[in-house]
Every structure is written in C-alpha cells, then in structure tokens.
C-alpha cells in the first residue's frame, strides 16, 4: 500500500486523468455539484463581483470627498452610498470571502478528507448567499438604505424612508449561509481528519477556520434575531426600541454589536490563518510557537464576545459598563499581539523568498500592526470620546479590514492559485499589483488618521475647507489602490486560460495540500493519506532541503 | 455476503447504554417533568417574595432548569454522549449567559438605575 | 477513522451511508455534532429574545405582571404538558428506531405530531382570545367592538382555590370593553398593581419615572405602553416558537414517510435521533417560556 508520507514530487502524477475542473462541463454539473472545490470557485466569482460593486460605492465616496462641499452627491444620497458600501463590503465580501473561498477549497485537502462533512449543506450555503446577495442588490436598485450599515434605532425603525426591511431580510438570509458554513467546518475538522492527522499536526489555517466557525455559530444568530426585531418594529410601528412606550434604542445597539464585534474576528481570523501559512512557508521554516498561535486563535474567538460595548462608549451605556468593556478590549489585543510576535520570530533566520504571496504577508504584518494598535487607542475611553465618529475610526477599521484581511485574501489567492487552477499567476504583474496596493492603501487611509484626529466627522458629505488637502491625498491613494486591486482580476483570469502550467508543488512545500495534483482530482487524493509528519516540517529527510530549493531558484541566495 | 463494515462498525454501538433506562426510565423522566410543571404552576400563586425579593422568580427558574436538565441528559441522550457533545451543549448556555450578563451590567449600573 | 487507505469504493456500502463518510460511526458522529452545533445556534437565536425579556422585565416588573395576568396559565400549563408528552413520544420513537421496530416508530411519530398539532391549536385559541380582548400590541389589529356592545364571557377553567384568574375578571367572567378602533388596551384594574407597588415601595427606578405623569399620578397611557412591550415580546417569542413547532411538524412528516417505508434500521437511525434533538430543543424553549411569560406576576394579586 503506497503511503504518501515522504515528499516525492515525481511520485504524484502531474496530470491525473480527470481533475475537479474537468470532471463535467455542464452547467448542471456546477450548479448541482457537491464538490467543495467547485463550490469554492463559484464563491470566488460571486465574491469578486460583490467586491467590485462595493468598490464602485467606495469610488463614489472618494470622488465626493475631493471637495469640501456636498456637490457631487446630496447628503441624502451620500448617506445611501456609504451605507451600501458598508453593507456590501461587510456582509457580502468580508465575512464570507476567506472561509467560503479558501476555507471551502482547502480545509478538506489540508486534513486529508474527501470532502466536507456535509457537501449538500455546503451547496445550500452557496444558494443562500446568492439569494441574500440578490435581495440586497434588488433593494439597492429599488432605492437603497441610508441608515448606515449599523442600522441604529430609532432612525432605522421609525424615521428612515429607505428600504430597511428588504436589506434587513437580505442580511438575515445571509446569516444562515455563514452559520451553515461554520457548522460544516466544525464538524469536518472534528470527524473527517485523515489517519495520523492529529489536532496539532493540522495547518494553522485550519485552526484559524475552526476558531472562525465558533464565532459564526455563536454570534450570527444574534444579528439574525436583531434584524428580525428591527424589521418587525418597522413593519407594525411599535416595538421594544421605541422610547415612546418605554423601549430602549440602546438595547438595539447591544444586540447589534453582540454579533458585529465578533464579526470582525470572523473577518480577520481566517486572514491570520493565511498569514501563518505564508510566513512559515516562504521563510522555509517551521512556524515559531505553533501551539501559541493555535490557542491564540481560540482565545480571540472567545474574548471577542466580551468586548462589544467598545462600540458604544458614547451611546449612553453606563460608565461602569464602559470600564469593563475597555479593560477587556485591552485584553483581547494580547492574543493578536502574540501572533505578530510569533510571525516575526518565524521570519528571523528564515530563508525568505519575496514571491507575491509573501509580499502580501509581510505587508499584512505591518498594516495589521498599525490597525490593531490604533484599535487600542480607541479602546481607551478618554481618547475614544474625542475620536468617536471621526475619520480616525474609518482609518482604523480600514487598516485592519483592507490592510489586514483583503491583503491576506489576495496573498492566499495567489499562493494557492496554482493548486486551484493548475496554472501559475504571472509573478512580475503580481509583484507590481501588490506594491500598488500597498502604496495606494497607505496613501488612502493614513491621512484619514490625521483627519480624524483633527476632527473631521465620518459619514458627512461635506467638511470644513481646511481638511481638503488630506482628502485629496486620500482620493489619489484610492485611485492607485483601485488599480492595484483590479490588476489581479485581469492577470489571474488570463493565467487561468493561458498561464504557465503549474506542477503539484511548485515551491517545494511540506503541506498536505501540496501532495496532491494541481488541480486536485474530485476526491482530493488518489489514495487516503496517512499522516506521519508534523506541520511545517521542512528539512532534508523530507526532501525539502534548502540546497535543493536554492538550486531550483525558489529561494534568493543569501548575500 | 459477510462484510466487515456492517459488522465491525455497527452504528449505535455506543448507544447500547441508552437501553439502561429503557422505557421505564423514560417514564420516570416524564413523571419528573409533569411534577415540575404542576409544581411551578401552583407555587406561582404563593407570595414567596416575603422570604426574599425575587424568590418566586428564582423558584420558577430552578424548576425550569431542572426540567431542562433532565430533558437534555435523558431525552437528548447527552448522559451517554461524547464529551464533545457535552461541551457543545454547555458552550451554548455559557454564551447565552455572557449575552445576559454583559448586557445587564450596563442596565444595572446606569445612573437612572434599574432597581 | 478509515482502517483502509483505499478511497476507491469497491466494498459494500451500508444503506444510508453518504459518500463522503468512511463508515457509519463517522456519519453518526458527524450528524450528531452537526445538529448540536445547529441547536447552539438556535439557543443564541432565542437568546436574543430572552435578553430583551430580561432587560424589560427588570425595568418594568409591574407592567409585566399586568401583562402576565392577562394570559391564562391553564392553557399555558396544558400546552406545557402537551409538549412534554410529545417529547416522551419522540424519545420513544428514537428508542424503537434503534430497535428497528417499524410499526412502533410510525405510531409514535404520529402521536408526536398529534400532540404538536394540539399545541398549535391551543396557541391559536389563545391568540384569538388576545384578539378579542384588545391585547394585540398593534393599534388597529384587535377586534373592533363598538360602544355599547358590552359583553361578558366566561373565561376558562377557574380552579377552586383561585380567587381571580386575571386582574380583569370577577367570578370567572371577563368583561369585554368597547374598542371601536381595535386598539391595544388594558383594564383599569391593572393599575392596582402599580398602586400596590407604590404602597409597598417596591417600584424600580425606571418604573418611578415610567408610570407617572408630570403631576406624579399613575398615568394609564404611560403604563399601557409598557404593557404593550410585554405583549410585543409575548407574541414575538411564542410566535417564533410556534414557527419552530411548524417546522418541527414538517420534519416529523418527512420522518414519518421514511419510517413508513422502513428506511430506519438498528444500523441506520441517525435522522430519527437528530430530529429528536430538534424536537426536544423546541420543548425546552417552551419550558422556559411558560413560567417567564405566564406565571411571574401571579403572586402580586393573590
């Protein structure tokens, strides 16, 4: 019986007779598939579409903010534009992106399974996502919402004349897509691991998705019930958020943020999982502090549920609640910091190669650091009173969500592109795009820290003239960022059809996903792997020695 | 045709324990639930707040928790399930407790006060 | 765990084993954990509503007592017993499925569905009662009763030791007051609760502000708003619960069809087990809803 327990690149058939892409060409074979890889590709296409839609709204915002006056868009329209930018980006892009695309594709392969535990539920998740997207886009076409993505009451329940209920319904439906994905991942990781794949041999990417799935299951139902209550109150005209009958608008905020704060950990944890993979693999070195990173992921997921009040410091909640939430916000930063230290320690004395995915990984560390630290500033009550509802907040969350998650997502897409498509992306254009993204991003959002500190409020279409210069920098940066983000759409599509064929393990890496063909066959492995090696196990015994890597020019020679 | 799969991997292997309480056991659990319901109904009419404020509420909740516990342990077979299932069930209620506690800590400490 | 490294399916597959699983135990473990994860999600879903209940009950206990006194604990208690019986029949269904006894399975599923339907029927009776008495919290959604159309109707079973079923009833009868616009309305007698609380000095801070007008008198309109909140919560919580019952009945129907066809054997009964988990969960939610909505306020009037 052949075990694939030693890396044997030539032993894997470069071209199995049928891979998951060529296993059926009809539309029905795609739309009714149970293959997690095909579902992941369909998610990839859908998510890209929504990302671009959200990006269009972002362009409208930045164009309007070129001038101090509200001249391109009226305030009412501007309200709709930033609301819709937020809703599309958060619910239709950031929350599903990494888990639904990369998580779906890779988790079964990384643990040596044939598929997820519930393939049909996986397909259902996709359908539900499409339904939610359709509902939200339909609502936008009808006229959209103007409440801010946070839907604060009583504006959203009583006074807004926009399509709150329709968008709310879309968000409600989208929640179930998330919940079912999380459920699938948790069960899969518990019960479908291949023989020998113990918990501590799993890649950290899988640990990250496990932690994310915990948050998805525990948090998402709360936004669902909250949106339901909001819609009901709006529909019947009476409800528990209405102060006139004794209700409390702040209760909405409590319930809303109970989910929406952990939601940001749904967004960033998978990204951190990708970064662990990128940093370790492109330093050709076992990750430093594997258990620390694994447990930090769980700690972030758990502690993330205890801090939601830091979005409500000035809302009217009690000062003592503010105290508790502020303290816990400082605590939740610790596991993230532990990860950053471990990544840095991994880089130290590693044999680093600056391929495109690694560039994204390194940029992530710097940008996430800034975003995370500014989050600490905002967690301190004294500072937050000054900075709340200013551009400082906007800059903070874009640093972690774009500088963090989007960069991790792009890094992951490039890294596993060869595995998913069997083609290599063009390295030159990849590097150009990565650098444009980095430069454009910083130019867009760093001035916003300054603007916020200087007092420019967020969600305003017009602003005092003295803020214009920085806003112009920001818009200029956004143009560069936009170009950098659009470039992969083109060169990745091109490479899918005309790119260089990739071998199974182009970078000579130890992960289980690299021990099957690129693209993999439908059942992932020709034979069920029996795992006898540890995670990230480089080294000569495994045929992954440095000399061979240098000979194949996978690593830049040390000068 | 003899096959190792259906013989070696008989599902329900770990469920043999469920026969330990069997139908009589289920009827006992049922009895507990009925008694609990009747008890909670009648004690709700008595003014127990004389003993201490909130006593009625506490008693009703204790009875409800007891009923829930027997349903979870015996009807839902958690008594004989893996530790993972135990952990999942406990996690659900723990998270609920977080939601209650951290929301109420705002309301209870407001200067307008609750009590 | 597979004890063979071959992924090619050249051996016998037990009926009911899905292709992604290696053996029945893996499938059973997976679906069990999967259903429990789903139930955890349901706990948090209902949990949001329980949080709302908690917040407002701690703020306005007298309004909640007034609202609770308009509910009939007899029907609520009966429903509780009905669901408990259905839980028993469900547990027995799993027991017999595990034994491979098709006939008993079918009988017990039918019984479970029967009790579930009875539950929904009682809820319909209760909701209709609220409609008749102007207790649906949305103005205009109650029965429109013109001025002069006073009626008294017998309220449901009054047990011997009870002095009053609700604040509004005397000798087991309920006055039905005029309600030309179908608005939400409470009885003047409900305000007794507030007066008693004033006398006994056990109003909360929020109540001291919330029930009294500028002249520091008990204001019926202000009190009504808080009772409206109670009924909003009542309808949303029991309505959502009823919706879950309906879904449960749908699941039972599907289960019945499969059981009738003899699909379940001693080797394969996972769907029955996990349907049972769902059903018991719905029962547990009601176990909490009953005392929290129907019973916590009774003692103020006795």
């Amino acid at each position: 019986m052949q075990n694939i327990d030693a890396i044997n690149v030539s032993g894997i058939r470069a071209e199995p007779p049928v891979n998951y892409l060529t296993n059926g060409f009809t539309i029905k074979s795609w739309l009714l598939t149970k293959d997690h890889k095909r579902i992941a590709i369909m998610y990839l296409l859908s998510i890209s579409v929504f990302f671009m839609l959200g990006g269009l709204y972002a362009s409208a915002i930045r164009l309007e903010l070129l001038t101090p006056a509200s001249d391109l868009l009226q305030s009412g329209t501007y309200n709709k534009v930033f609301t819709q930018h937020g809703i599309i980006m958060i619910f239709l892009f950031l929350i599903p992106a990494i888990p639904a695309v990369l998580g779906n594709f890779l988790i079964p392969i990384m643990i040596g399974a044939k598929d997820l535990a519930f393939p049909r539920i996986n397909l259902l998740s996709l359908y539900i996502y499409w339904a939610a997207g359709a509902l939200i886009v339909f609502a936008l076409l009808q006229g959209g919402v103007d409440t801010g993505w946070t839907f604060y009451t009583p504006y959203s329940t009583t006074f807004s004349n926009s399509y709150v209920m329709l968008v709310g319904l879309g968000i409600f439906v989208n929640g179930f897509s998330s919940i079912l994905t999380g459920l699938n991942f948790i069960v899969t990781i518990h019960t479908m691991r291949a023989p020998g794949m113990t918990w501590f041999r799993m890649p950290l990417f899988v640990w990250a998705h496990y932690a994310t799935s915990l948050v998805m299951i525990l948090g998402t139902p709360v936004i669902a019930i909250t949106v339901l209550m909001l819609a009901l109150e709006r529909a019947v005209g009476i409800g528990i958020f209405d102060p006139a009958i004794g209700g409390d608008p702040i209760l909405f905020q409590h319930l809303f943020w109970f989910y929406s704060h952990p939601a940001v950990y749904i967004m960033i944890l998978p990204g951190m999982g990708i970064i662990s993979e990128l940093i370790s693999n492109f330093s050709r070195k076992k990750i430093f502090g594997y258990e620390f990173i694994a447990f930090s992921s769980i700690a972030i997921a758990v502690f993330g549920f205890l801090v939601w009040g830091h979005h409500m410091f000035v809302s009217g909640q009690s000062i003592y609640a503010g105290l508790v939430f502020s303290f816990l916000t400082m605590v939740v930063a610790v596991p993230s910091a532990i990860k950053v230290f471990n990544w840095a320690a991994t880089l130290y004395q590693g044999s680093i190669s600056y391929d495109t995915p690694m560039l994204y990984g390194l940029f992530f560390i710097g940008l996430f650091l800034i975003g995370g630290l500014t989050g600490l500033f905002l967690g301190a009550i004294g500072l937050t009173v000054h900075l709340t509802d200013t551009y400082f907040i906007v800059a903070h969350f874009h640093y972690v969500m774009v500088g963090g998650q989007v960069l991790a997502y792009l890094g992951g897409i490039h890294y596993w592109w060869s595995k998913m498509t069997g083609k290599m992306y063009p390295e030159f254009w990849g590097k150009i795009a990565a650098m444009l993204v980095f430069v454009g991003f910083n130019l867009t959002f760093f001035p916003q820290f300054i603007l916020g500190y200087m007092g420019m409020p967020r969600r305003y279409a017009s602003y005092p003239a003295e803020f214009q210069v920085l806003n112009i920098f920001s818009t200029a940066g956004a143009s560069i960022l936009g170009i950098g983000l659009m470039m992969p759409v083109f060169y990745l599509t091109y490479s899918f059809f005309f790119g260089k064929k990739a071998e199974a393990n182009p970078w000579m890496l130890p992960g289980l996903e690299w021990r099957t063909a690129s693209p993999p066959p439908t059942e992932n492995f020709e034979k069920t792997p029996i795992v006898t090696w540890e995670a990230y196990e480089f080294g000569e015994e495994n045929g992954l020695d440095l000399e061979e890597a240098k000979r194949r020019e996978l690593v830049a020679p040390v000068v | 045709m003899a096959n190792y799969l259906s013989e070696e991997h008989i599902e329900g292997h770990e469920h043999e324990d469920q026969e330990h309480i069997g139908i009589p056991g289920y009827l006992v659990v049922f009895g507990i639930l009925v008694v609990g319901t009747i008890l909670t109904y009648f004690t709700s009419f008595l003014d127990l707040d004389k003993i201490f404020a909130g006593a009625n509420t506490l008693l009703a909740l204790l009875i409800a928790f007891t009923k829930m516990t027997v349903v979870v342990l015996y009807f839902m077979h958690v008594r004989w399930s893996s530790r993972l299932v135990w952990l999942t069930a406990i996690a659900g209620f723990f998270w609920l407790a977080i939601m209650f506690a951290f929301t109420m800590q705002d309301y209870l400490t407001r200067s307008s006060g609750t009590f | 765990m597979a004890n063979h490294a071959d992924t090619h399916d050249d051996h016998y597959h037990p009926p009911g084993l899905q292709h992604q699983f290696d053996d029945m135990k893996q499938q059973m473990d997976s679906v069990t954990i999967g259903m429990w994860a789903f139930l955890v999600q349901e706990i948090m879903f209902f949990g949001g509503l329980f949080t709302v209940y908690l917040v407002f009950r701690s703020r306005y206990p007298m309004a909640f007592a007034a609202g609770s006194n308009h509910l009939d604990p007899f029907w609520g208690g009966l429903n509780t017993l009905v669901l408990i019986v259905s839980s028993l029949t469900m547990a027995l269904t799993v027991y017999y499925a595990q034994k491979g006894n098709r006939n008993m399975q079918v009988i017990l599923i039918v019984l479970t569905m029967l009790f579930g339907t009875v539950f929904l029927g009682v809820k319909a009776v209760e909701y209709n009662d609220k409609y008749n008495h102007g207790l649906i919290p949305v103005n205009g959604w109650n029965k429109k009763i013109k001025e002069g159309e006073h009626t008294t109707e017998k309220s449901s079973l009054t047990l011997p030791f009870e002095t009053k079923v609700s604040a509004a009833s005397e000798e087991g009868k309920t006055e039905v007051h005029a309600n030309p616009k179908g608005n939400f309305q409470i009885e003047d007698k409900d305000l007794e609760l507030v007066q008693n609380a004033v006398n006994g000095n056990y109003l909360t801070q929020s109540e001291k502000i919330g029930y009294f007008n500028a002249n520091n008198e008990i204001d019926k309109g202000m009190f009504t708003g808080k009772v409206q909140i109670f009924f909003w919560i009542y309808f949303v919580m029991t309505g959502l619960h009823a919706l879950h019952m309906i879904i449960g009945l749908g699941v039972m129907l599907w289960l019945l069809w499969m059981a009738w066809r003899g699909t379940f054997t001693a080797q394969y009964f996972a769907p029955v087990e996990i349907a049972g988990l769902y059903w018991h969960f719905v029962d547990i939610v009601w176990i909490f809803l009953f005392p929290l909505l129907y019973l916590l306020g009774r003692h103020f009037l006795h």
Side-chain angles (χ1 to χ4, degrees):
Chain A
M1 191 182 348
Q2 182 188 349
N3 299 334
I4 322 176
D5 58 1
I7 196 74
N8 183 4
V9 176
S10 59
I12 303 169
R13 273 195 286 188
E15 187 107 36
V18 175
N19 64 52
Y20 82 97
L21 287 170
T22 57
N23 191 4
F25 290 100
T26 62
I27 295 204
K28 209 171 123 179
S29 72
W30 278 87
L31 291 180
L32 291 178
T33 186
K34 289 194 279 206
D35 183 357
H36 64 102
K37 301 182 287 302
R38 286 195 163 197
I39 293 173
I41 298 297
M42 289 190 279
Y43 263 116
L44 173 64
L45 296 171
S46 321
I47 275 167
S48 307
V49 168
F50 287 121
F51 185 56
M52 289 191 269
L53 185 58
L56 281 177
Y57 280 110
S59 315
I61 293 174
R62 285 308 336 155
L63 281 172
E64 162 55 46
L65 291 177
L66 267 176
T67 59
S70 164
D71 40 16
L72 182 65
L73 302 166
Q74 291 176 329
S75 292
T77 312
Y78 186 76
N79 291 346
K80 290 186 178 179
V81 168
F82 69 68
T83 301
Q84 286 152 195
H85 169 72
I87 290 171
I88 293 175
M89 285 307 203
I90 289 175
F91 292 106
L92 297 177
F93 174 68
L94 285 169
I95 284 173
I98 299 175
V101 178
L102 294 170
N104 257 330
F105 195 98
L106 292 163
I107 289 177
I109 302 179
M110 284 180 167
I111 61 173
K114 280 182 261 189
D115 204 319
L116 289 175
F118 307 118
R120 287 175 298 188
I121 289 185
N122 200 12
L123 186 63
L124 183 65
S125 281
L126 177 65
Y127 289 164
I128 292 175
Y129 174 71
W130 281 341
L135 272 167
I136 291 177
V137 169
F138 178 67
L140 301 189
L141 293 171
Q142 292 291 311
V145 265
D146 64 353
T147 58
W149 82 273
T150 47
F151 290 105
Y152 278 2
T153 57
Y155 183 66
S156 56
T157 48
T158 316
F159 300 104
S160 172
N161 282 324
S162 58
Y163 288 84
V164 175
M165 279 171 61
L166 205 49
V167 172
L169 181 64
I171 292 173
F172 181 86
V173 170
N174 194 47
F176 286 104
S177 175
S178 204
I179 288 170
L180 292 175
T181 298
L183 194 149
N184 229 333
F185 285 175
I186 287 186
V187 177
T188 304
I189 295 170
H190 272 286
T191 65
M192 310 277 284
R193 282 171 284 123
M197 177 58 80
T198 63
W199 280 85
F200 290 102
R201 284 179 177 170
M202 291 196 309
L204 288 168
F205 179 86
V206 181
W207 273 98
H209 279 80
Y210 185 80
T212 307
S213 301
L214 290 175
V215 182
M216 280 172 163
I217 290 195
L218 290 163
T220 314
V222 180
I223 190 76
I225 193 70
T226 307
V227 162
L228 191 66
M229 286 194 271
L230 169 67
L232 264 173
E233 182 158 337
R234 197 174 160 81
V236 304
I238 199 97
I240 52 165
F241 305 127
D242 181 0
I245 56 166
D248 188 7
I250 311 298
L251 183 57
F252 175 84
Q253 294 187 30
H254 276 299
L255 292 169
F256 177 84
W257 287 113
F258 182 88
Y259 164 73
S260 299
H261 184 79
V264 314
Y265 296 115
I266 293 177
M267 300 176 210
I268 199 68
L269 278 169
M272 289 173 161
I274 296 179
I275 300 305
S276 296
E277 298 297 314
L278 296 178
I279 298 295
S280 170
N281 282 296
F282 287 97
S283 315
R284 304 199 71 78
K285 193 171 161 240
K286 185 178 168 102
I287 193 119
F288 187 90
Y290 175 99
E291 290 87 353
F292 277 93
I293 298 186
F295 288 128
S296 295
S297 303
I298 307 291
I300 292 172
V302 173
F303 278 94
F305 276 94
L306 303 178
V307 299
W308 80 79
H310 67 219
H311 298 271
M312 296 168 60
F313 284 135
V314 299
S315 65
Q317 78 179 356
S318 84
I319 190 73
Y320 300 102
L323 202 76
V324 169
F325 284 123
S326 175
F327 172 71
L328 288 167
T329 303
M330 302 300 162
V331 170
V332 82
V334 171
S336 297
I338 289 176
K339 289 191 181 206
V340 175
F341 287 133
N342 280 300
W343 292 326
T346 308
L347 289 169
Y348 179 67
Q349 291 198 332
S351 311
I352 297 176
S353 61
Y354 296 93
D355 293 273
T356 303
M358 184 56 154
L359 286 181
Y360 282 113
L362 293 170
F363 293 155
F364 174 101
I365 295 180
L367 297 178
F368 176 75
L369 191 66
I370 296 175
L373 288 176
T374 51
L376 284 175
F377 300 170
L378 293 167
I381 302 185
L383 268 177
T384 216
V385 172
H386 175 67
L387 297 171
T388 281
D389 279 338
T390 67
Y391 262 84
F392 196 93
I393 307 258
V394 176
H396 156 70
F397 65 68
H398 282 94
Y399 260 81
V400 280
M401 294 205 280
V402 182
Q405 199 203 335
V406 174
L407 260 61
Y409 177 66
L410 290 171
I413 294 284
H414 284 79
Y415 178 48
W416 285 296
W417 188 252
S418 64
K419 184 57 54 184
M420 295 196 290
T421 60
K423 304 283 175 64
M424 283 304 283
Y425 63 87
E427 183 61 47
F428 173 73
W429 290 109
K431 287 196 166 84
I432 299 284
M435 303 219 257
L436 282 177
V437 165
F438 182 73
V439 169
F441 171 83
N442 278 301
L443 190 56
T444 310
F445 291 106
F446 199 84
Q448 294 184 7
F449 278 126
I450 305 172
L451 281 169
Y453 180 72
M454 280 162 51
M456 179 176 170
R458 64 186 282 207
R459 295 176 166 174
Y460 277 45
S462 60
Y463 54 81
E466 62 257 31
F467 295 143
Q468 184 171 22
V469 174
L470 288 171
N471 269 297
I472 292 178
F473 276 131
S474 185
T475 302
S479 324
I480 301 173
L481 177 62
I483 296 172
L485 290 171
M486 282 306 292
M487 283 175 65
V489 176
F490 293 109
Y491 67 66
L492 287 177
T493 310
Y494 177 87
S495 79
F496 179 81
F497 294 107
F498 308 113
K500 197 179 83 167
K501 238 187 202 8
E503 41 179 279
N505 193 353
W507 286 297
M508 266 183 71
L509 300 172
L512 187 51
E513 74 268 28
W514 301 110
R515 303 184 191 211
T516 186
S518 296
T522 299
E523 301 242 307
N524 295 338
F525 296 93
E526 299 220 345
K527 292 189 183 321
T528 305
I530 295 181
V531 180
T532 55
W533 60 92
E534 301 301 315
Y536 312 105
E537 212 173 70
F538 288 92
E540 237 178 77
E541 330 65 81
N542 299 316
L544 295 170
D545 56 301
L546 202 49
E547 294 313 313
E548 175 68 23
K550 280 182 185 161
R551 240 197 334 270
R552 296 224 251 147
E553 291 179 359
L554 294 174
V555 182
V558 178
V559 174
Chain B
M1 167 177 54
N3 55 78
Y4 62 94
L5 257 184
S6 69
E7 282 167 30
E8 283 181 9
H9 301 278
I10 292 173
E11 125 185 336
H13 197 72
E14 77 274 304
H15 291 272
E16 273 175 17
D17 300 2
Q18 289 164 39
E19 298 201 31
H20 285 175
I21 70 164
I23 295 181
Y26 286 137
L27 289 173
V28 168
V29 171
F30 173 71
I32 293 174
L33 292 170
V34 171
V35 165
T37 307
I38 295 173
L39 197 64
T40 202
Y41 177 88
F42 284 110
T43 54
S44 71
F45 295 102
L46 309 168
D47 184 10
L48 299 171
D49 281 352
K50 292 184 298 220
I51 310 172
F52 61 88
N56 273 91
T57 311
L58 185 63
L59 180 62
L61 282 174
L62 277 174
I63 296 174
F65 263 97
T66 309
K67 289 160 83 179
M68 175 189 77
T69 308
V70 296
V71 171
V72 167
L73 284 178
Y74 294 101
F75 281 174
M76 294 171 91
H77 301 153
V78 169
R79 180 102 154 62
W80 304 285
S81 294
S82 62
R83 258 190 316 183
L84 180 60
V85 169
W86 276 89
L87 195 60
T88 311
I90 290 172
F93 291 104
F94 184 69
W95 249 259
L96 194 59
I98 291 177
M99 186 157 59
F100 290 163
F102 275 69
T103 307
M104 285 309 288
Q105 58 119 1
D106 169 23
Y107 287 96
L108 291 173
T109 54
R110 288 195 186 172
S111 56
S112 59
T114 301
F115 295 122
Chain C
M1 295 284 207
N3 54 6
H4 51 90
D6 202 329
T7 56
H8 292 297
D9 299 337
D10 54 4
H11 52 260
Y12 171 75
H13 254 206
L17 181 67
Q18 300 203 345
H19 80 98
Q20 69 272 19
F21 295 116
D22 295 321
D23 55 45
M24 293 301 261
K25 181 176 187 307
Q26 189 185 41
Q27 176 170 285
M28 183 66 168
D29 285 344
S30 300
V31 300
T32 304
I33 299 172
M35 178 49 87
W36 270 104
F38 181 73
L39 292 182
V40 163
Q41 176 277 133
E42 289 278 281
I43 291 174
M44 297 308 288
F45 191 59
F46 276 97
L49 290 173
F50 279 102
T51 307
V52 169
Y53 174 92
L54 179 59
V55 168
F56 287 107
R57 176 143 195 280
S58 59
R59 277 185 147 194
Y60 304 119
M62 290 304 114
F64 270 52
S68 166
N69 282 316
H70 280 283
L71 298 177
D72 196 337
F74 170 73
W75 289 120
L78 180 72
N79 256 354
T80 311
L81 290 172
V82 164
L83 271 193
I84 289 173
V85 174
S86 79
S87 258
L88 175 67
T89 54
M90 187 71 230
L92 291 174
T93 307
V94 179
Y95 176 84
Y96 281 110
Q98 197 198 333
K99 292 218 171 306
N101 185 333
R102 173 190 170 274
N103 291 337
M104 283 306 290
Q105 278 177 61
V106 169
I107 292 170
L108 286 162
I109 292 177
V110 169
L111 279 176
T112 308
M113 289 177 72
L114 181 71
F115 287 113
T117 312
V118 167
F119 178 89
L120 290 174
V122 170
K123 277 248 71 66
V125 167
E126 285 186 283
Y127 280 6
N128 185 56
D129 184 67
K130 302 293 161 295
Y131 167 76
N132 287 333
H133 290 87
L135 292 171
I136 297 181
V138 184
N139 285 339
W141 285 25
N142 293 287
K143 186 171 179 189
K144 295 184 171 61
I145 301 168
K146 295 207 251 307
E147 290 283 348
E149 251 184 55
H150 255 52
T151 57
T152 51
E153 47 180 62
K154 196 166 187 318
S155 57
S156 57
L157 193 72
T158 311
L159 295 166
F161 62 89
E162 284 189 59
T163 53
K164 279 186 266 192
V165 170
S166 77
S169 77
E170 303 243 7
E171 297 154 8
K173 289 197 170 54
T174 314
E175 283 253 337
V176 179
H177 294 279
N179 194 354
K181 292 192 185 148
N183 289 345
F184 178 82
Q185 57 186 33
I186 58 173
E187 309 280 331
D188 287 333
K189 290 220 165 93
D190 292 329
L191 296 168
E192 267 178 36
L193 284 163
V194 183
Q195 191 55 55
N196 291 346
V198 171
N199 300 341
N201 196 24
Y202 50 82
L203 285 173
T204 67
Q205 279 298 109
S206 307
E207 290 183 305
K208 287 180 186 161
I209 305 166
Y211 299 156
F212 298 86
N213 60 21
N215 300 330
N216 215 28
E217 297 155 347
I218 301 176
D219 185 310
K220 187 177 180 187
M222 290 170 77
F223 187 65
T224 303
K226 282 72 178 172
V227 183
Q228 243 174 326
I229 289 182
F230 172 83
F231 276 100
W232 197 98
I233 294 174
Y234 167 79
F235 277 105
V236 173
M237 290 186 92
T238 58
L240 194 66
H241 178 262
L243 180 66
H244 280 75
M245 275 300 301
I246 294 171
I247 294 171
L249 285 174
V251 170
M252 286 295 130
L253 198 63
W254 170 77
L255 212 67
L256 179 65
W257 184 63
M258 299 240 291
W260 178 267
R261 294 171 78 222
T263 316
F264 303 122
T265 64
Q267 282 76 44
Y268 173 58
F269 62 91
V272 187
E273 172 97 32
I274 65 173
L277 288 177
Y278 176 79
W279 192 268
H280 293 305
F281 172 78
V282 176
D283 181 26
I284 289 175
V285 173
W286 183 261
I287 283 174
F288 280 96
L289 283 184
F290 172 56
L292 291 178
L293 292 173
Y294 288 78
L295 299 181
L296 292 188
R298 301 254 139 228
H299 66 274
F300 286 112
L301 293 174
H302 295 260

